[in-house]
């Protein structure tokens, strides 16, 4: 296996991990932005 192919595989795997991490952080940020009616999930009730 040529060394460049190994590098490409490692870079692709790292990129996938970063994309999944950013997606998870954005999803958590959107869900904690407002109250969904469950007082355990937000900082207080209306």
């Amino acid at each position: 296996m040529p060394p460049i192919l190994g590098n490409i595989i490692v870079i692709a795997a790292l990129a996938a991990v970063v994309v999944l991490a950013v997606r998870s952080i954005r999803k958590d940020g959107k869900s904690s932005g407002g109250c969904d009616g469950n007082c355990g999930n937000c900082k207080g009730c209306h």
Side-chain angles (χ1 to χ4, degrees), residues 1-14:
M1 180 165 66
I4 190 74
L5 186 58
N7 288 342
I8 291 172
I9 292 170
V10 170
I11 290 170
L14 288 175

Side-chain angles (χ1 to χ4, degrees), residues 7-8 11 24-25 32 43 46:
N7 288 342
I8 291 172
I11 290 170
S24 175
I25 291 170
S32 67
K43 301 295 183 212
H46 302 134

Side-chain angles (χ1 to χ4, degrees), residues 15-31:
V17 169
V18 169
V19 167
L20 290 175
V22 169
R23 195 170 118 192
S24 175
I25 291 170
R26 290 186 70 191
K27 182 179 176 184
D28 288 344
K30 285 182 181 181
S31 68

